[in-house]
Amino acid sequence: DEMIADDGIDQDCSGADLICDGDSDGFLNAACDGNDCNDSDGSIYPGATEIPNDGIDQNCDGEDLDCDLDNDGFIDEACGGTDCDDSRSDINPDAEDDCGEVPEDRNCNGLIEC
């Protein structure tokens, strides 16, 4: 039988009517072919502003935004910080440039100072 959402009738005898937007955020849940990853919290929906490092995926992209992936103590530029490469802890604003065979700007200032 066809499930009709939000009609007050329990068509599948589950004990509750099918609700497609339980948190009233304007995004449908997966049971209704929507993409709201948490239909009980109106602040969690696709496109929501992500709060870094809180353990919650506010924007439903499958992960929480981590602003210091390399754990070097510097916040990634994508989060408004100054770490130009958050995948390597040896690259951060306090690092010294590498002047070896392949010189590398490790202090994120755009210059290789040797």
Side-chain angles (χ1 to χ4, degrees):
D1 289 336
E2 180 183 347
M3 295 288 293
I4 301 171
D6 304 316
D7 67 351
I9 300 171
D10 178 13
Q11 284 96 357
D12 66 354
C13 299
S14 66
D17 183 23
L18 176 63
I19 305 294
C20 286
D21 188 12
D23 56 10
S24 300
D25 61 6
F27 292 87
L28 302 181
N29 62 43
C32 299
D33 295 325
N35 56 358
D36 191 343
C37 61
N38 184 333
D39 204 36
S40 63
D41 186 331
S43 67
I44 299 174
Y45 55 86
T49 299
E50 187 72 39
I51 299 170
N53 303 315
D54 68 350
I56 300 171
D57 176 19
Q58 282 90 1
N59 63 7
C60 295
D61 71 353
E63 62 188 13
D64 182 29
L65 179 62
D66 186 345
C67 288
D68 188 14
L69 288 172
D70 58 10
N71 295 315
D72 62 2
F74 292 91
I75 303 298
D76 183 40
E77 288 178 339
C79 296
T82 56
D83 193 344
C84 60
D85 186 342
D86 207 33
S87 66
R88 291 178 46 189
S89 62
D90 64 330
I91 297 179
N92 63 67
D94 280 351
E96 290 187 25
D97 288 338
D98 182 356
C99 296
E101 278 186 41
V102 182
E104 186 174 28
D105 176 23
R106 290 193 179 174
N107 62 7
C108 301
N109 69 356
L111 304 169
I112 299 174
E113 302 160 314
C114 296

